[in-house]
Amino acid sequence: MKFFLDTANLRDIEEAASWGVLAGVTTNPTLYAREGGRLAEFHGHIQRICDICDGPVSAETVSLDRDGIILEAEELHALAPNVVVKVPVMPEGLAATKVLADRGIDVNMTLCFTVPQALMAARAGARYVSPFIGRFDDISEDGLEHLGNMIVALNNYDFGHPIEVIAASVRHNQHVVAAALMGADIATVPFGVLEKLVKHPLTDRGLESFLADWEKVKNA
Ligand code: G3P
């Protein structure tokens, strides 16, 4: 499974890239707003992310009609070769995705919550399908069970083009572990989750004992 960062924070993206584990970035309007983003600087910000991360960088459209989505998507796609256009799964989004896929523009269909939505995203030509986990948990449903169902359903068919499942709306380590065991291609995670994923108390304890023993070796 590959790790994407779910953020618009440039420092966090730089830090994760420096670890050698960053395969891509996903952003959305909420994440950009959280960084104090302004509309006039949006395209420049996406370009800066693409300068740091050479993997796929998802930038989301906000239009609700197909023509508007296609227009935004083409502007975003022109920013950098690794921009992937993120489009919500809805009838107008599917229609736009079909056109964009035919034009060779990679689409990440987002806000996927059901098996039929995931299958339709794939049929329309989406290169990435993003099931959301945490938002199901927010309403006391098992987001991981829904993710597993979508992975199984997508694996049942050949859509004639490559598709990768991005486990999104990830809130904690267990989401990532379960997504990996289910065969999700990618987990997109907030930086705070990425930091926790690299840690374990036994790693810390092992390091402490190595350092203590090395002091003994030095003083012997
Ligand atoms: O990429 C978007 C998705 O990960 C949103 O997550 O935490 O707002 O449900 P969240």
Side-chain angles (χ1 to χ4, degrees), residues 6 26-28 31 86 110 132 134-135 138 168-171 188:
D6 198 26
T26 53
T27 67
N28 63 34
L31 294 170
K86 204 170 174 190
T110 188
F132 275 34
R135 293 203 193 174
D138 293 344
S169 185
V170 166
R171 304 284 165 74
T188 189

Side-chain angles (χ1 to χ4, degrees), residues 181-198:
L181 295 176
M182 287 172 189
D185 302 287
I186 295 155
T188 189
V189 302
F191 186 69
V193 171
L194 195 75
E195 281 184 312
K196 288 193 184 113
L197 287 171
V198 76

Side-chain angles (χ1 to χ4, degrees), residues 106-121:
D106 283 345
V107 174
N108 170 5
M109 286 225 92
T110 188
L111 290 166
C112 287
F113 292 94
T114 70
V115 166
Q117 285 179 325
L119 292 173
M120 284 193 269

Side-chain angles (χ1 to χ4, degrees), residues 10-165:
L10 299 176
R11 265 172 297 122
D12 290 347
I13 296 167
E14 272 167 2
E15 180 63 17
S18 76
W19 299 355
V21 299
L22 185 68
V25 174
T26 53
T27 67
N28 63 34
T30 304
L31 294 170
Y32 183 56
R34 196 176 291 165
E35 299 306 317
R38 294 156 183 259
L39 182 59
E41 291 148 21
F42 178 57
H43 283 178
H45 196 84
I46 296 295
Q47 264 167 336
R48 278 193 284 283
I49 295 174
C50 291
D51 289 342
I52 304 166
C53 175
D54 53 15
V57 172
S58 288
E60 189 154 349
T61 58
V62 291
S63 296
L64 297 177
D65 64 290
R66 67 189 74 184
D67 292 340
I69 295 169
I70 293 165
L71 192 66
E72 277 186 67
E74 290 193 320
E75 287 171 0
L76 289 167
H77 178 69
L79 296 175
N82 53 326
V83 167
V84 170
V85 181
K86 204 170 174 190
V87 178
V89 65
M90 56 182 182
E92 290 298 299
L94 290 169
T97 296
K98 181 183 167 13
V99 171
L100 293 168
D102 287 346
R103 293 180 188 173
I105 296 177
D106 283 345
V107 174
N108 170 5
M109 286 225 92
T110 188
L111 290 166
C112 287
F113 292 94
T114 70
V115 166
Q117 285 179 325
L119 292 173
M120 284 193 269
R123 285 285 170 222
R127 173 70 181 76
Y128 301 92
V129 176
S130 291
F132 275 34
I133 304 171
R135 293 203 193 174
F136 266 125
D137 295 357
D138 293 344
I139 57 165
S140 303
E141 282 195 45
D142 184 353
L144 286 171
E145 187 183 345
H146 289 283
L147 170 68
N149 290 342
M150 285 185 258
I151 291 172
V152 169
L154 289 169
N155 284 339
N156 281 343
Y157 306 101
D158 177 5
F159 297 94
H161 67 278
I163 294 166
E164 289 183 275
V165 172

